[in-house]
Every structure is written in C-alpha cells, then in structure tokens.
Amino acid sequence: MQDIENKLYQYAGYQRRLKELREQADEILGQHNTLLDGLLKSPCLEDVRVQGGFTSDPVFSAVQKMIDVYGVRLDAIRNEITDIFYHIDEIDRLVNDAGLTENERRYVQLRYFDGMQPKQISFETNYCDGYLREIKKSALCKITAV
C-alpha cells in the first residue's frame, strides 16, 4: 500500500515538472524561431565564392549550429514530457479503475493531486481526522487491488 501512496504523491510533482517543461519549451521555441527568422532574412550567399567554389559565412554557420542545439534541447524536453505523461496516465488509470466512492475520490484529489495537508482537507470537507483516515485507508486498499 505504501508503494501506491508514493506513486500518488508523485502526481503533483509530475504536474509541476510538466508546467516547467512547457515553459522551457516555449522559451526555447521562441529563441529558435527568432534565429530562424533572422536566418531567412539574411542576405543571399549565392554570389559569394571562396576557394574551391564553396560559400562560407561564419555567422550563418554559427546561427545554424544554434538552431541545431535548440532542436536537440526541444527533443529532450519532448521526450521527458512523454515520460511524464506516461506516469500521469498510469496514476489516472489506477485511480479511475479502483471504483472509488465520491468521498474517496475527493480525498485522493485533495491529498495527492492538489497536495493539501490532512488538516486542510478536514477543514475543506468538514470531516474529522478519524473519518478521513478511514477514507484514506479504504481508497488506498481499492487502488492497491487494481
């Protein structure tokens, strides 16, 4: 039962990390798009020739490398987001398949997903601590059985 509870506690952390990753991705994508826009507006190098017939522009090369770096960073973020969604979906499936009562579902939502403390839940639901412990135990037993 402790394993299930630990998994439920991770839910809020997954949600926080997901938000952080989305913000990072938006920032990187903005920088990526700014570089691409600048690259597209740069002068055409077709008329510039150097030894061997190849064009060479160090600024263009540096910008292209930065665009590639941003692409790699975005791919890493995308992979981590995919992993997080896998874990969130697994937790959601466990809770949804457990056949929880309304009180049990609300307790799980408040305690594990919203991160509220037992005293806050007691105040929010107007239930005494003893009754909340019974709800918790019942919910965790049902989830463990899934």
Side-chain angles (χ1 to χ4, degrees):
M1 200 157 49
Q2 186 65 34
D3 291 340
I4 291 296
E5 190 169 22
N6 288 338
K7 192 174 281 208
L8 292 172
Y9 277 126
Q10 292 173 348
Y11 190 92
Y14 288 139
Q15 292 292 352
R16 281 190 302 276
R17 183 65 181 145
L18 195 57
K19 182 180 177 187
E20 292 170 4
L21 289 170
R22 285 178 174 160
E23 290 170 357
Q24 286 178 14
D26 287 344
E27 182 181 327
I28 292 170
L29 198 54
Q31 293 167 345
H32 180 266
N33 290 341
T34 299
L35 281 176
L36 272 177
D37 191 45
L39 196 61
L40 291 173
K41 291 179 181 176
S42 66
C44 182
L45 297 176
E46 289 179 8
D47 297 332
V48 178
R49 295 274 180 201
V50 293
Q51 188 176 13
F54 295 107
T55 59
S56 175
D57 183 354
V59 173
F60 181 87
S61 297
V63 170
Q64 184 61 46
K65 286 179 183 175
M66 284 304 299
I67 289 171
D68 294 343
V69 167
Y70 287 140
V72 169
R73 288 175 63 193
L74 285 170
D75 287 343
I77 289 172
R78 187 178 305 114
N79 289 337
E80 189 174 349
I81 286 174
T82 301
D83 290 343
I84 289 172
F85 273 126
Y86 171 79
H87 293 295
I88 287 173
D89 287 345
E90 180 184 14
I91 294 168
D92 284 339
R93 183 191 57 77
L94 286 172
V95 171
N96 291 334
D97 292 350
L100 302 177
T101 66
E102 186 61 36
N103 286 340
E104 292 166 342
R105 183 173 293 282
R106 186 163 184 219
Y107 180 85
V108 168
Q109 176 68 41
L110 294 174
R111 180 71 177 124
Y112 302 109
F113 296 175
D114 297 343
M116 291 177 76
Q117 296 300 315
K119 292 288 183 194
Q120 294 171 307
I121 297 170
S122 180
F123 180 77
E124 176 81 21
T125 60
N126 288 326
Y127 294 143
C128 68
D129 291 340
Y131 185 62
L132 285 177
R133 280 192 295 275
E134 289 177 28
I135 291 173
K136 173 185 172 180
K137 183 178 178 183
S138 174
L140 291 177
C141 285
K142 288 179 181 179
I143 294 171
T144 302
V146 171

